[in-house]
Amino acid sequence: MASSGSAEVERDLTRDIRLEVSSSNRSSCQVCKEKIEKDSIRVAHPSRSSNVSIMKYVHPSCYLSSCVHFENSKCKSKCRLSKHEIGKHELRLTMALTSCEGKLKDQVFFHPPHASTLVRQLLDAAGGTEHTFDQLCVSLPQDAKAWARDALSGVDLTGRRAPTVEPEVKPRAPKKKRAAEDDEAESAAKKPRAKKAKASSEYFVEDGDPFCDGDQNDGDAELVD
């Protein structure tokens, strides 16, 4: 009876990307949606559906065209085959399916040298001259292209480190406090100034004021009977 550890390894191996002979013509390619003929070579890619592990199938040529690409890791990841860590910003080979929304799903990551056997099997199964090592590396910068091609073709890379791309340094955003002060100053500049009240130069007196020039009896006026 196999131990629990060996059983775990066996189950893990069934989740690997692999090439196999189609046992029927009931499966359809996940890329072109055409039927995969019986006894033809297909790529089995691990996926999940309703929380159940399944395999989805793709024509080898469709798989190379749409599911295999190089990218610089945005965060630390792990090589599917070697289980070694792939450093942040390090060049890695990603094999993934595409969702209906055009986003990558069911991604599997590789150190390019460890994926060389699988890639060569894919190229042999696809046949023709459309798919080559150079085609797989065409999107890479020139300094990384030679390394990636050698990695996939099985060249010894001893002493040659995987290319990395450092992220662009974004300029620091202004502090919120300074921005608020600038907005306040701008608002104050646009606000119209209040007019000062003009002091009155006239002097008003109330009725009955001894200095008032209103109608009053003049003491020198003639009395009339």
Side-chain angles (χ1 to χ4, degrees):
M1 182 176 177
S3 66
S4 60
S6 60
E8 183 65 32
V9 171
E10 185 178 351
R11 287 197 297 271
D12 186 62
L13 290 176
T14 64
R15 302 285 298 150
D16 286 341
I17 298 170
R18 62 178 184 268
L19 282 85
E20 62 184 27
V21 178
S22 178
S23 58
S24 70
N25 62 354
R26 294 192 300 270
S27 60
S28 297
C29 175
Q30 293 294 306
V31 175
C32 70
K33 308 305 180 185
E34 298 291 332
K35 289 289 184 181
I36 299 176
E37 297 298 329
K38 182 180 179 181
D39 297 328
S40 63
I41 301 297
R42 66 187 181 187
V43 182
H45 189 102
S47 182
R48 300 280 292 178
S49 178
S50 301
N51 207 31
V52 175
S53 297
I54 62 172
M55 299 299 283
K56 293 187 176 180
Y57 303 107
V58 187
H59 289 122
S61 58
C62 294
Y63 196 82
L64 286 167
S65 299
S66 304
C67 304
V68 181
H69 62 277
F70 282 99
E71 64 178 358
N72 286 91
S73 178
K74 299 178 178 63
C75 59
K76 290 182 180 180
S77 53
K78 186 178 290 186
C79 176
R80 177 66 177 175
L81 295 178
S82 68
K83 308 302 181 184
H84 293 160
E85 183 181 284
I86 301 173
K88 189 175 181 180
H89 309 309
E90 185 179 331
L91 187 67
R92 69 186 179 192
L93 188 67
T94 299
M95 298 187 185
L97 301 178
T98 305
S99 67
C100 297
E101 296 79 18
K103 297 180 180 180
L104 295 180
K105 65 176 184 177
D106 303 324
Q107 299 180 76
V108 182
F109 307 119
F110 299 92
H111 274 300
H114 292 106
S116 62
T117 299
L118 177 58
V119 169
R120 281 181 284 179
Q121 290 175 348
L122 288 168
L123 292 173
D124 290 342
T129 58
E130 180 183 356
H131 302 289
T132 63
F133 292 121
D134 289 330
Q135 284 295 325
L136 292 174
C137 305
V138 70
S139 63
L140 294 174
Q142 194 62 37
D143 56 345
K145 191 176 296 184
W147 184 94
R149 189 192 184 287
D150 289 346
L152 295 183
S153 58
V155 173
D156 184 8
L157 296 176
T158 303
R160 295 170 62 183
R161 296 184 60 184
T164 58
V165 173
E166 294 299 328
E168 295 182 4
V169 179
K170 296 182 180 180
R172 295 181 63 183
K175 292 183 179 179
K176 292 183 179 181
K177 183 177 180 180
R178 184 179 301 172
E181 290 175 351
D182 292 342
D183 291 342
E184 186 178 349
E186 183 179 355
S187 178
K190 292 180 179 179
K191 187 176 180 180
R193 294 182 178 179
K195 293 182 179 179
K196 293 182 179 180
K198 185 178 179 181
S200 175
S201 59
E202 298 178 357
Y203 180 71
F204 296 97
V205 294
E206 296 180 357
D207 291 342
D209 191 304
F211 299 101
C212 178
D213 292 330
D215 294 336
Q216 294 183 0
N217 290 331
D218 190 339
D220 295 334
E222 183 180 356
L223 297 176
V224 179
D225 290 336

